[in-house]
Amino acid sequence: MAGLDVKALLDGHDGDDLERWAHTINPQFVRVLKTIGFDRTWARAEGAHLWDADGNRYLDMLGGFGMYNVGRNNPRIRGALIEALELDTPGMLAMGVTALPGLLAEALLVRTPPRLERCLFTNSGTEAVEAALKLGRAATKRTRVISADHGFHGLTLGSLSANGAPEFTDRFGPLLPGFERVPFGDLDALEAELKREDVALFIVEPVQGKGLNLPPAGYLEGAQALCREYGSLLCVDEVQTGFGRTGTMFAFEHWGLEPDLVPVAKSLSGGYVPVGALLMSRAVHEAVFDSMEHAVSHGSTFAPNELAMVAGLATLNELDDERLVERSARLGTRLLELTQPFVEEYDVVRDVRGLGLMWAIEFGEPHSGRIAWKLIEKAQPGLFAQLVVGPLFADHRILSQVAGHKLAVVKVLPPLVVTDEDVDEFVDALRETVEQAQKMPSSLTKFALTAAGIR
Ligand code: PMP
């Protein structure tokens, strides 16, 4: 009996992808894509590039929001996955153990500070955060969780409870009790909470993905010292920043941190198979899994699945072999050097910031063209960013995105396999686009106002 012929299915299916998605998955999302002009039919991908059905090539500076650090359709990750499939490995035992999960756990832990000694696998970033919340509470026998304003840790209820953004939290309450937020960068506010000595953990992204906020000097080190002083655990969420994104394997290395809990996911997948993990100190693990009775206190059916483990092992291998972490540091520095002068050159550019290949440009009200700026800001705060993202995509075939709801910030998280030429292409296109957007011509403003009409 013949199995599924995927090629025949893809070649022969009738109707268009957007219509089918709208009918079966999410019509509102398809409306958004059509309104902002991102409604392409995608045919193929390789490395840092995508091709649409008409054969046009696009430079992917978004990298699936940071899950393609090793590039799309990386042939070495694919090869490892095919090999694993052909080996007929035992699969998940449920009541038993196999080789691959232990090997990936070991490979992750040797790349982190000695304080991290145990690994719990999950299927996604938000699940790794949920594990941190649960295990952190049980290990400390405390209930409160402190997070930072504008933090993002995932969209399931526990992770969402650490999120302060009403566009995500409204309509889904009540959230979990015991969650409090403090301003990112404010050690006094953090200490005021920790001082009560009832905080299980402080969860923080080392570089905030939403808005791309870098920590002020001394902040993360100070937060770690306060956590230690008051008996709270430090959870550094590396879901987006991990695996070379910021120019080091993990972002916490920039500040020499030794967190107790580290959720990871996204790029560990090699872009192929969902996989996440919570890396933690032995003390946390032993406090929770403290007896045979508690041996299976937390877990998930598919978490240590063998394809996910191979994707993770192949990804770590690829980051090392291709020196992608160093590449991220070098190209990130180059991207910053080429774009930081925009702050002086363009009235509308407020700031250009980044770490490794996590980069953003922020816009603010210009001295010239104030009326048009006010008009579009009034329609929707931050809307100016669409005046950049839209033309970058439509005119230059470059994929980027706004860095969050109501923020005039454009952000990029390209695959770490981008080249010097790709960076140059992006910088040239950005220059042209910002120059054009700064004039705020009526055609662009109209486009932005239509985009703001998205409901
Ligand atoms: N933490 C951070 C810092 C993230 O950026 C994200 C996803 N954008 C998550 C957690 C959630 O990960 P996932 O989408 O895999 O649930």
mmCIF file of all heavy atoms in Angstrom, residues 124-127 129 152-154 205 237 239-240 265-266, ligand 1:
data_model
loop_
_atom_site.group_PDB
_atom_site.id
_atom_site.type_symbol
_atom_site.label_atom_id
_atom_site.label_comp_id
_atom_site.label_asym_id
_atom_site.label_seq_id
_atom_site.Cartn_x
_atom_site.Cartn_y
_atom_site.Cartn_z
ATOM 1 N N SER A 124 7.634 23.207 24.039
ATOM 2 C CA SER A 124 7.587 24.598 23.575
ATOM 3 C C SER A 124 8.194 25.512 24.625
ATOM 4 O O SER A 124 8.508 25.080 25.743
ATOM 5 C CB SER A 124 6.129 25.021 23.351
ATOM 6 O OG SER A 124 5.453 25.031 24.597
ATOM 7 N N GLY A 125 8.317 26.775 24.258
ATOM 8 C CA GLY A 125 8.855 27.765 25.186
ATOM 9 C C GLY A 125 7.931 28.005 26.367
ATOM 10 O O GLY A 125 8.369 28.037 27.521
ATOM 11 N N THR A 126 6.670 28.154 26.079
ATOM 12 C CA THR A 126 5.743 28.459 27.172
ATOM 13 C C THR A 126 5.682 27.300 28.170
ATOM 14 O O THR A 126 5.570 27.511 29.374
ATOM 15 C CB THR A 126 4.344 28.851 26.642
ATOM 16 O OG1 THR A 126 3.633 29.516 27.686
ATOM 17 C CG2 THR A 126 3.545 27.655 26.147
ATOM 18 N N GLU A 127 5.817 26.071 27.681
ATOM 19 C CA GLU A 127 5.815 24.933 28.604
ATOM 20 C C GLU A 127 7.069 24.909 29.471
ATOM 21 O O GLU A 127 7.030 24.447 30.613
ATOM 22 C CB GLU A 127 5.767 23.624 27.825
ATOM 23 C CG GLU A 127 4.391 23.190 27.437
ATOM 24 C CD GLU A 127 4.460 21.880 26.702
ATOM 25 O OE1 GLU A 127 4.780 20.859 27.328
ATOM 26 O OE2 GLU A 127 4.223 21.882 25.486
ATOM 27 N N VAL A 129 8.540 27.577 30.488
ATOM 28 C CA VAL A 129 8.274 28.609 31.496
ATOM 29 C C VAL A 129 7.300 28.073 32.559
ATOM 30 O O VAL A 129 7.497 28.271 33.760
ATOM 31 C CB VAL A 129 7.718 29.895 30.825
ATOM 32 C CG1 VAL A 129 7.218 30.884 31.863
ATOM 33 C CG2 VAL A 129 8.792 30.531 29.941
ATOM 34 N N PHE A 152 7.709 39.075 28.035
ATOM 35 C CA PHE A 152 6.896 38.092 27.307
ATOM 36 C C PHE A 152 7.454 36.709 27.603
ATOM 37 O O PHE A 152 8.639 36.465 27.415
ATOM 38 C CB PHE A 152 6.914 38.354 25.788
ATOM 39 C CG PHE A 152 5.967 37.457 25.045
ATOM 40 C CD1 PHE A 152 4.685 37.883 24.741
ATOM 41 C CD2 PHE A 152 6.340 36.166 24.685
ATOM 42 C CE1 PHE A 152 3.775 37.040 24.083
ATOM 43 C CE2 PHE A 152 5.446 35.316 24.038
ATOM 44 C CZ PHE A 152 4.171 35.763 23.732
ATOM 45 N N HIS A 153 6.567 35.811 28.064
ATOM 46 C CA HIS A 153 7.045 34.479 28.420
ATOM 47 C C HIS A 153 6.172 33.365 27.850
ATOM 48 O O HIS A 153 6.338 32.215 28.230
ATOM 49 C CB HIS A 153 7.149 34.356 29.935
ATOM 50 C CG HIS A 153 8.043 35.391 30.556
ATOM 51 N ND1 HIS A 153 9.416 35.343 30.451
ATOM 52 C CD2 HIS A 153 7.764 36.537 31.234
ATOM 53 C CE1 HIS A 153 9.958 36.396 31.063
ATOM 54 N NE2 HIS A 153 8.975 37.141 31.531
ATOM 55 N N GLY A 154 5.240 33.713 26.959
ATOM 56 C CA GLY A 154 4.380 32.694 26.378
ATOM 57 C C GLY A 154 2.926 32.973 26.693
ATOM 58 O O GLY A 154 2.610 33.863 27.493
ATOM 59 N N GLU A 205 13.554 38.238 30.887
ATOM 60 C CA GLU A 205 14.317 38.009 29.647
ATOM 61 C C GLU A 205 15.573 38.871 29.738
ATOM 62 O O GLU A 205 15.486 40.051 30.064
ATOM 63 C CB GLU A 205 13.517 38.465 28.425
ATOM 64 C CG GLU A 205 12.189 37.779 28.203
ATOM 65 C CD GLU A 205 11.249 38.687 27.413
ATOM 66 O OE1 GLU A 205 11.302 38.638 26.177
ATOM 67 O OE2 GLU A 205 10.477 39.453 28.023
ATOM 68 N N ASP A 237 14.817 33.796 31.114
ATOM 69 C CA ASP A 237 14.105 33.204 29.982
ATOM 70 C C ASP A 237 14.932 33.407 28.705
ATOM 71 O O ASP A 237 15.030 34.507 28.175
ATOM 72 C CB ASP A 237 12.726 33.872 29.864
ATOM 73 C CG ASP A 237 11.883 33.284 28.732
ATOM 74 O OD1 ASP A 237 12.449 32.606 27.859
ATOM 75 O OD2 ASP A 237 10.659 33.525 28.732
ATOM 76 N N VAL A 239 14.338 31.737 25.853
ATOM 77 C CA VAL A 239 13.603 31.135 24.732
ATOM 78 C C VAL A 239 13.936 31.853 23.421
ATOM 79 O O VAL A 239 14.164 31.211 22.395
ATOM 80 C CB VAL A 239 12.080 31.137 25.015
ATOM 81 C CG1 VAL A 239 11.292 30.726 23.773
ATOM 82 C CG2 VAL A 239 11.759 30.192 26.171
ATOM 83 N N GLN A 240 13.977 33.180 23.463
ATOM 84 C CA GLN A 240 14.284 33.930 22.241
ATOM 85 C C GLN A 240 15.778 34.251 22.111
ATOM 86 O O GLN A 240 16.312 34.322 21.017
ATOM 87 C CB GLN A 240 13.474 35.228 22.218
ATOM 88 C CG GLN A 240 13.575 35.962 20.907
ATOM 89 C CD GLN A 240 12.496 37.013 20.705
ATOM 90 O OE1 GLN A 240 12.795 38.173 20.523
ATOM 91 N NE2 GLN A 240 11.239 36.605 20.761
ATOM 92 N N ALA A 265 13.947 27.104 24.070
ATOM 93 C CA ALA A 265 13.091 26.422 23.073
ATOM 94 C C ALA A 265 13.472 26.924 21.684
ATOM 95 O O ALA A 265 14.651 26.866 21.311
ATOM 96 C CB ALA A 265 11.607 26.645 23.357
ATOM 97 N N LYS A 266 12.510 27.441 20.959
ATOM 98 C CA LYS A 266 12.649 28.013 19.611
ATOM 99 C C LYS A 266 13.737 27.375 18.736
ATOM 100 O O LYS A 266 13.495 26.387 18.072
ATOM 101 C CB LYS A 266 12.884 29.519 19.712
ATOM 102 C CG LYS A 266 11.605 30.312 20.030
ATOM 103 C CD LYS A 266 11.817 31.782 19.774
ATOM 104 C CE LYS A 266 10.711 32.672 20.313
ATOM 105 N NZ LYS A 266 9.556 32.804 19.441
HETATM 106 N N1 PMP B 1 9.609 33.267 26.249
HETATM 107 C C1 PMP B 1 10.069 34.161 25.362
HETATM 108 C C2 PMP B 1 11.136 35.125 25.763
HETATM 109 C C3 PMP B 1 9.558 34.168 24.054
HETATM 110 O O1 PMP B 1 10.027 35.050 23.164
HETATM 111 C C4 PMP B 1 8.564 33.246 23.698
HETATM 112 C C5 PMP B 1 7.970 33.178 22.302
HETATM 113 N N2 PMP B 1 8.039 34.312 21.551
HETATM 114 C C6 PMP B 1 8.110 32.338 24.670
HETATM 115 C C7 PMP B 1 8.666 32.373 25.929
HETATM 116 C C8 PMP B 1 7.066 31.330 24.343
HETATM 117 O O2 PMP B 1 7.544 30.342 23.503
HETATM 118 P P1 PMP B 1 6.556 29.427 22.650
HETATM 119 O O3 PMP B 1 5.974 30.299 21.580
HETATM 120 O O4 PMP B 1 7.414 28.316 22.106
HETATM 121 O O5 PMP B 1 5.512 28.931 23.581
#
